[in-house]
Amino acid sequence: MSLAHAILGLLQQKERTGYDLKTDCFDQCIAHLWTADQAQIYRTLDKLVEQGLITCTIEIQRDRPNRKVYHVTAAGNAELTRWLQGSHPLPTIRDPLLVQLFFADQLPNEAVIHLLEQQLAARCERLAECSSIELPALGDVSASRQQVMQRLALELVMQREQTYIDWLKTAIAAIASPMTQPIEQS
Amino acid sequence: MSLAHAILGLLQQKERTGYDLKTDCFDQCIAHLWTADQAQIYRTLDKLVEQGLITCTIEIQRDRPNRKVYHVTAAGNAELTRWLQGSHPLPTIRDPLLVQLFFADQLPNEAVIHLLEQQLAARCERLAECSSIELPALGDVSASRQQVMQRLALELVMQREQTYIDWLKTAIAAIASPMTQPIEQS
DNA sequence: TGCTACTATATGACTAGTCACATATAAGAG
DNA sequence: CTCTTATATGTGACTAGTCATATAGTAGCA
């Protein structure tokens, strides 16, 4: 399970609470690689403690709710290293838009194009979000090894969106072309 | 839920059994857009019957198990048309490889490159599978409207793989480059 | 005779992820 | 004085999807 290992990786960087993980990591940098629900984070932390891969110290705070700070154990470190080197099944992408398109021949052109243009806007927005993430460029000599890795990951996410955007444009053109008109009842 | 609507679309093309859906559709043409487990197909069919979107006639066979043949109802048709025009949330991609890469700075270069090359092989294989699907090319004048739509969908899936492959090659080059060496203890 | 494969449907148990809600305290805005 | 926001953890109920297994008849193979 990748979420558990992502959490292990993040806790290895630095001890954190469930709240930290959510707000500093899964809502920020990792968001484009792996989104995670708050409920799932807390439940995964419980599971990792059960498995002995992390431990937890309770930090009592006067003015705020107590924090449960999690640390990776030696077993956790070993497990992460093992997982990082293993190979994992390719994720399956299930894109409703492609299902829509697959059955779209019964829709009028305007409806199909409307769908594609909506998607185009959404994808452009996503790409813009990714672009706004600050990380040294690939050729940057001052970049740390970690930054290079993170940059590479971000680069794929962005190229993925770019490919989608390019495809949407050609799809819109293809459908608008006279060859793809629905059969007319003359 | 897209699976239900994909099934509606397939049943609209032609009446089918659960078995047909699995072996003729979800294991064939749609496989690259939407994979579905046999158990899930049967359960979704039950749900669609409950909702009155499809009906079922039992076909008694002497030499083989009886077939439950499903047909789309008027309500089902209406629901499909409605769904095809609506907009749906962008699917979230959760790719273990990107999580691995994100935390890969603690691995030696050879290990990271090994991961990427494995992935490269897997992605090339997938692309080859997609290429082997027979469907008229985009410019083909003899293609039906339905075939154009299906071709477009396939085209995105293939371009997605191609993007991944290109990215993997640049990632491998970037990591192998002297700038990305792990810090040496001299 | 036993093994495998094909056709066909179905269920139980599970994992992963989502949504809504509950609890509790403090700070700041209006 | 109430409303919202931030900090912080937790639970219940749900959807979607996966895996294994059961049932049951036919057919072909060795």
Side-chain angles (χ1 to χ4, degrees):
Chain A
M1 190 210 177
S2 300
L3 176 60
H5 292 93
I7 289 177
L8 274 181
L10 290 165
L11 293 181
Q12 199 181 55
Q13 290 175 355
K14 166 178 152 181
E15 54 168 46
R16 295 177 205 264
T17 67
Y19 188 80
D20 292 341
L21 284 168
K22 179 62 180 155
T23 56
D24 299 348
C25 309
F26 289 100
D27 285 348
Q28 308 288 326
C29 50
I30 323 257
H32 296 89
L33 305 186
W34 203 280
T35 57
D37 188 75
Q38 173 256 109
Q40 214 191 340
I41 292 172
Y42 282 106
R43 278 193 259 245
T44 303
L45 285 168
D46 290 343
K47 213 188 62 188
L48 286 168
V49 170
E50 251 179 67
Q51 295 173 336
L53 303 179
I54 60 176
T55 52
C56 152
T57 55
I58 291 159
E59 200 174 281
I60 286 135
Q61 302 193 121
R62 279 151 275 159
D63 51 343
R64 284 185 201 170
N66 296 341
R67 291 153 51 88
K68 292 171 79 174
V69 183
Y70 294 94
H71 320 260
V72 181
T73 64
N77 262 305
E79 170 55 24
L80 180 61
T81 309
R82 194 196 58 75
W83 184 85
L84 283 178
Q85 287 174 273
S87 87
H88 307 287
L90 305 193
T92 35
I93 302 177
R94 291 194 176 85
D95 188 342
L97 187 79
L98 289 192
V99 176
Q100 288 179 292
L101 194 64
F102 194 85
F103 295 111
D105 65 291
Q106 50 175 302
L107 291 183
N109 270 6
E110 311 82 63
V112 184
I113 288 172
H114 177 68
L115 275 177
L116 297 176
E117 298 207 319
Q118 258 182 242
Q119 186 81 191
L120 183 59
R123 292 287 170 182
C124 286
E125 207 181 305
R126 260 214 188 169
L127 181 57
E129 274 169 40
C130 292
S131 307
S132 72
I133 294 173
E134 277 171 45
L135 221 45
L138 267 187
D140 195 327
V141 193
S142 71
S144 70
R145 185 168 154 85
Q146 191 185 31
Q147 285 175 323
V148 173
M149 299 297 180
Q150 296 186 6
R151 176 87 232 174
L152 279 169
L154 182 62
E155 212 64 36
L156 175 61
V157 174
M158 288 173 67
Q159 279 174 34
R160 208 142 64 180
E161 293 304 329
Q162 190 59 59
T163 300
Y164 211 124
I165 289 166
D166 294 343
W167 172 79
L168 280 166
K169 287 177 183 166
T170 62
I172 289 167
I175 288 168
S177 94
M179 292 202 306
T180 323
Q181 297 312 310
I183 295 121
E184 279 171 54
Q185 334 243 341
S186 53
Chain B
M1 190 211 175
S2 301
L3 177 60
H5 292 93
I7 289 177
L8 275 180
L10 290 164
L11 292 181
Q12 199 182 56
Q13 290 175 354
K14 167 178 154 183
E15 54 168 47
R16 295 176 204 266
T17 67
Y19 188 81
D20 292 341
L21 284 168
K22 180 63 180 151
T23 56
D24 299 347
C25 308
F26 289 99
D27 286 349
Q28 307 288 328
C29 49
I30 322 259
H32 296 90
L33 307 187
W34 204 282
T35 57
D37 188 77
Q38 173 256 109
Q40 215 190 341
I41 292 172
Y42 281 105
R43 280 194 257 246
T44 303
L45 284 168
D46 289 344
K47 214 188 61 185
L48 286 169
V49 170
E50 249 179 67
Q51 295 174 334
L53 302 179
I54 59 176
T55 52
C56 152
T57 55
I58 292 158
E59 201 175 279
I60 287 136
Q61 301 191 120
R62 278 152 277 160
D63 52 344
R64 284 185 200 169
N66 294 343
R67 290 153 52 88
K68 291 171 79 173
V69 182
Y70 293 94
H71 320 262
V72 181
T73 64
N77 262 304
E79 171 55 25
L80 180 60
T81 309
R82 195 196 58 74
W83 184 85
L84 284 178
Q85 287 174 274
S87 87
H88 307 287
L90 305 193
T92 34
I93 302 177
R94 291 194 178 85
D95 188 342
L97 186 80
L98 290 191
V99 176
Q100 288 180 293
L101 194 65
F102 193 86
F103 296 110
D105 66 289
Q106 52 174 301
L107 292 182
N109 271 7
E110 312 81 63
V112 184
I113 288 173
H114 178 68
L115 275 178
L116 297 176
E117 298 206 319
Q118 257 181 242
Q119 185 81 191
L120 184 59
R123 292 287 171 182
C124 286
E125 207 181 305
R126 259 214 189 169
L127 181 57
E129 274 169 37
C130 292
S131 308
S132 72
I133 293 173
E134 279 172 45
L135 220 44
L138 266 189
D140 196 326
V141 193
S142 70
S144 70
R145 186 167 154 85
Q146 190 183 32
Q147 284 174 324
V148 173
M149 299 297 179
Q150 296 186 6
R151 176 86 232 174
L152 279 170
L154 181 62
E155 211 63 34
L156 175 60
V157 175
M158 289 174 66
Q159 279 174 34
R160 209 141 63 181
E161 293 304 330
Q162 190 59 60
T163 300
Y164 211 124
I165 289 166
D166 294 343
W167 171 81
L168 280 166
K169 287 179 183 165
T170 63
I172 289 167
I175 288 168
S177 95
M179 294 203 301
T180 321
Q181 296 312 310
I183 295 121
E184 279 171 55
Q185 332 246 342
S186 55

